[in-house]
């Protein structure tokens, strides 16, 4: 049984919570030093002792916990999580029924009413991501609730709350039958190999589903495509399936080569006709510029923070310069797919980076389309940071 604390909230934060803000920040709580064990239930009241809501204490990089309920007296137990999960699963009904897409997000943290945890579906297997030791204290209640709602082959978990929010190395298997990996899943009819037991990431980022589909259906045909920070080559695979004349995938991680070969092969694409380059992306920009290489379609999807031997990249500080390097090797009339998952700035600010990059290179551009998170990544308007994905398709004009 979790410990319970009555916590007084300062006036500014009390107003935010009353308007539906879900993140419990350290500054919101008076007497925060009283909190000892993660997973404790917090009964939040204002300075006049009026009820605000019920949350839990769980430290992650974003804050000290999440609001769970605004109903006074509500008990946070298995039936509470059952109701939240049931509602989320029902919202994904169309995904469960789509034979062409067998990988999607079932539960999206605060967007579905419980911050600090996400659940993804991979063709009968579920992967639960725990983002704090606090939410992990509710593990049995959440897993038992899930088991009561869905048929499954197996359940895996990722504990992402080691120091500085890093992944805790583990076997990751929880219950059911162990998967045989790679597990082949589909996204809009394209095959992906995923590994649910190989570290923090499984091999594909599900939040880019709609962007990949657009690249395949609208932008790739006949184009020479460059995919920077390519990870396992998902964008390249969609471009190749969409009829790209050639794809070049660049990523600094050694594993990107065999993983990208695997994804191409699963989709009948001759990987030897593609370029898969293991190199520092920043170095490759210089190489491409020196060799006068240019591309019709460039996909730019860096992590929000990255460090290589010679470069440290922060999206908020460095994205503009990354775009300038990209503009230099994009054909006139070509398209740049600029993407970021940084949650510390919004789409408007992202567009200022784009505008500045073109102005500083004396270039002109036209925004063709914009994307944020897909439908299964449910968000709430009261928590703008939760809608972190920003993707802009930009045409470089002569």
């Amino acid at each position: 049984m979790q410990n319970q604390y009555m916590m007084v909230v300062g006036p500014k934060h009390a107003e935010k919570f009353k308007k539906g803000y879900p993140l419990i920040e350290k500054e919101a709580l008076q007497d925060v030093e009283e909190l000892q064990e993660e997973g404790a239930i917090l009964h939040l009241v204002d300075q006049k002792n009026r009820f605000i809501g019920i949350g839990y204490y769980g430290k992650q990089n974003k804050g000290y916990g999440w609001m769970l309920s605004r109903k006074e007296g509500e008990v946070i137990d298995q039936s509470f999580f059952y109701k939240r999960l049931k509602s989320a699963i029902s919202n994904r009904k169309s995904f469960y029924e789509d034979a062409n897409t067998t990988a999607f997000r079932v539960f999206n943290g605060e967007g579905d009413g419980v911050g600090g945890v996400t659940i993804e579906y991979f063709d009968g297997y579920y992967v639960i991501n725990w983002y704090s030791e606090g939410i992990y204290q509710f593990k049995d209640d959440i897993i038992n609730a899930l088991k009561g709602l869905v048929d499954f082959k197996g359940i895996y978990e990722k504990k992402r709350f080691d120091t500085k929010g890093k992944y805790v190395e583990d076997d990751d298997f929880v219950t059911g039958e162990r998967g045989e990996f790679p597990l082949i899943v589909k996204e809009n009819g394209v095959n992906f190999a995923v590994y649910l037991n190989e570290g923090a990431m499984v091999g594909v980022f599900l939040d880019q589903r709609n962007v990949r589909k657009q690249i395949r259906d609208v932008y790739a045909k006949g184009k020479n495509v460059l995919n920077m920070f390519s990870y396992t080559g998902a964008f390249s695979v969609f471009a190749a399936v969409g009829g790209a004349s050639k794809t070049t995938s660049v990523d600094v991680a050694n594993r990107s080569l065999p993983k990208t070969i695997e994804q191409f092969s699963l989709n009948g694409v001759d990987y030897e006709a593609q370029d898969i380059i293991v190199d520092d992306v920043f170095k490759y920009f210089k190489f491409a510029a020196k060799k006068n290489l240019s591309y019709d379609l460039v996909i730019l999807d860096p992590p929000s923070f990255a460090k290589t031997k010679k470069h440290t990249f922060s999206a908020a500080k460095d994205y503009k310069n990354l775009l300038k390097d990209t503009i230099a090797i994009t054909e006139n009339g070509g398209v740049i797919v600029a993407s970021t998952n940084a949650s510390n700035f919004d789409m408007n600010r992202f567009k200022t980076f784009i505008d500045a990059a073109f102005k500083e290179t004396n270039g002109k551009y036209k925004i063709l389309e914009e994307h944020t998170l897909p439908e299964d990544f449910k968000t709430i308007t009261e928590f703008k940071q939760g809608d972190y994905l920003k993707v802009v398709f930009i045409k470089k004009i002569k």
Side-chain angles (χ1 to χ4, degrees), residues 54 119 124 128 133 149 152 159 170 189 192 199 216 254 280 285 304 313 323 333-334 372 389:
I54 301 165
I119 305 174
I128 306 174
E133 285 190 55
L149 284 162
F152 61 89
K159 300 196 283 282
D170 207 342
F192 279 132
R216 179 191 66 187
N254 287 321
D280 182 332
F285 274 119
S304 52
F313 173 83
L323 269 170
T372 55
L389 185 69

Side-chain angles (χ1 to χ4, degrees), residues 42-84:
L42 308 180
H43 297 269
L44 305 183
V45 296
D46 66 15
Q47 289 179 311
K48 293 184 178 170
N49 210 33
R50 290 176 299 206
F51 174 78
I52 294 171
I54 301 165
Y56 74 90
Y57 171 47
K59 279 203 252 186
Q60 57 182 98
N61 59 347
K62 292 176 179 170
Y64 262 47
W66 295 91
M67 191 74 87
L68 293 173
S69 171
R70 287 176 173 76
K71 283 188 203 162
E72 195 163 4
E74 181 153 30
V75 179
I76 308 303
D77 58 7
Q78 189 176 313
S79 78
F80 168 83
F81 292 111
Y82 183 93
K83 281 182 277 193
R84 294 288 159 101

